[in-house]
Every structure is written in C-alpha cells, then in structure tokens.
Amino acid sequence: TAAGITRPLGGEDVCGDAYAVRGDRPLSLMLCDGSGHGPLAASASKEAARTFRDPTQPGSPPEAVVARIDRVLNGTRGGAVAVAELDPAAGLVRFAGVGNVGAAVVSSTDKRGMVSIAGVAGYRTPRIRAFSYPLSADAVVILHSDGVSARWTRADVGGLLGRSPTLIAATLLRDFGGRRDDACVLVGRAGP
C-alpha cells in the first residue's frame, strides 16, 4: 500500500511536486520535484508521473525508469526524481534518484537514508545508479521533496509505523513541511 500528499508553495494554485505509484509486483514509488514552483514546475512533475505510470512500459529497474523520465523531461524545467521499488520477498528496496529528494527506509529500530545523485533530471543528469537497502517486514519507505525538512527522525514516525501510509505522510508534511516551497511526501509499505 502507498499514499502521498502534496502542498503548493504559499500563494500558488498548483504544486510543482508530484508522485505516482505502480501497484504491480513489486510495488514502485516515484516522486518528482519540478524545478522552481508554479505551473511550469507542475507541468514537469506531471509529465514525470505520466511517464512513470505509462501502462505500455513494463516494470523496469529503478535506474531505467529514472533514465526514461530524464529523457521525457528534456525541454521542460526538469526536476529532482526518485524511484523506489519495494521487494519484500527479497527483503530489499531498490532505489535510484537524481537531485535533492529525501528518501529513507524506516523500521521500528532504524532509519536508513537512501542516496540520490546530484543533478537535475531533464537538464543536467549524472550517470544514474541504483542502490539496494534492507527492507524489513515492518518497514516503510518514505520519499519527500526538499520542501520537507530532512531533520525528521525515526522517533518522529516510529509510533505510526503500524498506521496507514496516508497518516504517516500527512504527519511528516504537517510537522516538517515548509511554506516557502512546494512540498510532497510519499509513503509505501510492502507488507500487510
């Protein structure tokens, strides 16, 4: 299961951040923080979400999905993009990210940050790499844009791990989301 929430920069009508989820096995999550804010940032992030959800594209490793999104964002404002693939059978989450996206695997005992490579998808993209991280049965994967402070800790969400992804995402946005930028939080759980 997965859920996300977005909030535009104060005074804007649209949010430049977007997320998407593919429920096919394994569960995959995508977050895009369009560069800047307003309609042009929203256009880039919506294009990233559309590309991620494209039913004609079979499931691919996260680095291949980020590369596909990078090509589609060429000619837009571009943005920070992250893709996480949750594989509970293997006990792993595979992750690829470009740009300033927060990403972590959080369990009842640990918060492990995931690495996003510096760059801008669609504009200045480095070699895209994927990394694998342990995924315990009680863990959630949290992706967030830079409109949400990365200062949150495992203790901030530890008591919510058994609750819905929507509640976890809303709590992080409420407690750590700033008003001077678009903000987005996406939470996925591979287990029950």
Side-chain angles (χ1 to χ4, degrees):
T1 62
I5 187 167
T6 62
R7 182 178 65 206
L9 169 77
E12 288 288 344
D13 294 328
V14 295
C15 185
D17 298 350
Y19 67 88
V21 176
R22 286 187 72 148
D24 41 357
R25 297 275 192 260
L27 177 67
S28 295
L29 313 173
M30 188 281 312
L31 185 139
C32 179
D33 177 350
S35 295
H37 53 84
L40 293 176
S43 176
S45 63
K46 286 178 185 176
E47 191 60 26
R50 184 197 63 74
T51 301
F52 176 78
R53 288 191 305 259
D54 184 351
T56 66
Q57 296 291 327
S60 302
E63 64 274 23
V65 176
V66 172
R68 188 166 58 240
I69 292 170
D70 173 58
R71 287 189 299 274
V72 168
L73 291 185
N74 191 359
T76 72
R77 275 203 177 169
V81 176
V83 173
E85 179 184 86
L86 288 66
D87 187 348
L92 292 174
V93 57
R94 293 174 192 89
F95 176 81
V98 172
N100 193 10
V101 174
V105 181
V106 183
S107 70
S108 58
T109 60
D110 191 31
K111 174 189 174 190
R112 181 176 299 230
M114 297 188 288
V115 175
S116 183
I117 306 298
V120 178
Y123 176 65
R124 192 176 325 140
T125 310
R127 181 173 156 253
I128 299 167
R129 298 175 47 204
F131 301 91
S132 294
Y133 301 89
L135 181 67
S136 62
D138 70 337
V140 295
V141 172
I142 300 174
L143 307 179
H144 62 82
S145 66
D146 66 353
V148 176
S149 170
R151 293 183 181 196
W152 60 273
T153 67
R154 188 201 61 77
D156 293 316
V157 296
L160 300 174
L161 288 179
R163 307 296 292 272
S164 75
T166 303
L167 181 62
I168 297 169
T171 300
L172 281 173
L173 183 64
R174 179 196 69 200
D175 294 347
F176 295 94
R179 294 288 184 178
R180 294 183 179 171
D181 196 0
D182 297 319
C184 179
V185 181
L186 175 59
V187 179
R189 174 184 289 119

